[in-house]
Amino acid sequence: MTQNKIANIRKALDLSLIERSQEVDILLTSLLANENALLIGEPGLGKSLLTRRMVECLDFADKSFEVLITKTSEPDELFGPYTLEAVKSGNYKRDTTDMLPESHVAFIDEVFNGSGAILNNLLTILNERKCRNGRAVLDCPLKCAVGASNIWPDSSSG
């Protein structure tokens, strides 16, 4: 990505959202550094909108993944469902097509609502860009994941 293209994307994002230039800089820096970002703030501040607009500007729409995590979310919603054939053979392999393990940019809304099963599996993808699928370990093409939350996590529960 050229410096000119980055400047144009930054300008487009700045113009589309009022008073969000710091968040724009955070997301673009995270993307360029192949790191992840966390946006925390009140509902309605544009966390989701900003991330979606960045994905559009970067032409990553077909390589992006978005999920809203609730207390009842299952790992299948992020990592893909188990394939019936694999379960029958005792190899619990997931169909990761169009899911987080195959995305380049991900938006994980209300990230702290995830269960231990979700958060523990997220750690490997976010930190190592790897994902266990059955007996195999997949290399994930993730360049940047953006987590968002309306609240800080409760530190007393962990």
Side-chain angles (χ1 to χ4, degrees):
M1 200 174 330
T2 66
Q3 187 175 3
N4 215 15
K5 182 172 182 172
I6 294 165
N8 288 338
I9 291 169
R10 184 179 184 283
K11 184 176 180 181
L13 292 173
D14 269 344
L15 291 173
S16 69
L17 291 161
I18 298 170
E19 294 183 10
R20 293 291 163 256
S21 60
Q22 186 176 19
E23 289 83 354
V24 168
D25 288 345
I26 289 168
L27 292 188
L28 288 176
T29 301
S30 297
L31 181 71
L32 291 170
N34 286 336
E35 292 293 341
N36 306 307
L38 177 62
L39 301 175
I40 297 180
E42 297 294 321
L45 291 179
K47 299 178 294 288
S48 306
L49 181 60
L50 174 58
T51 305
R52 287 184 194 118
R53 292 247 171 101
M54 180 184 75
V55 167
E56 290 168 8
C57 287
L58 295 166
D59 295 326
F60 276 146
D62 61 336
K63 297 174 185 171
S64 67
F65 176 80
E66 182 175 330
V67 66
L68 170 63
I69 297 181
T70 66
K71 298 285 184 200
T72 59
S73 292
E74 295 290 328
D76 293 5
E77 296 173 46
L78 286 87
F79 309 106
Y82 290 111
T83 61
L84 186 57
E85 300 80 24
V87 171
K88 285 180 182 178
S89 69
N91 180 16
Y92 291 89
K93 184 178 177 188
R94 295 180 181 274
D95 177 6
T96 59
T97 306
D98 296 328
M99 303 304 283
L100 178 60
E102 294 187 8
S103 68
H104 289 230
V105 177
F107 178 61
I108 305 166
D109 201 4
E110 296 306 330
V111 66
F112 300 125
N113 284 342
S115 65
I118 288 176
L119 295 177
N120 286 335
N121 283 305
L122 268 176
L123 278 176
T124 309
I125 289 180
L126 297 179
N127 292 336
E128 300 172 28
R129 305 305 199 252
K130 302 224 180 260
C131 176
R132 178 167 291 286
N133 191 6
R135 295 181 184 109
V137 176
L138 307 175
D139 288 322
C140 301
L142 189 66
K143 296 181 183 322
C144 177
V146 179
S149 181
N150 295 329
I151 58 168
W152 285 97
D154 181 9
S155 62
S156 66
S157 64

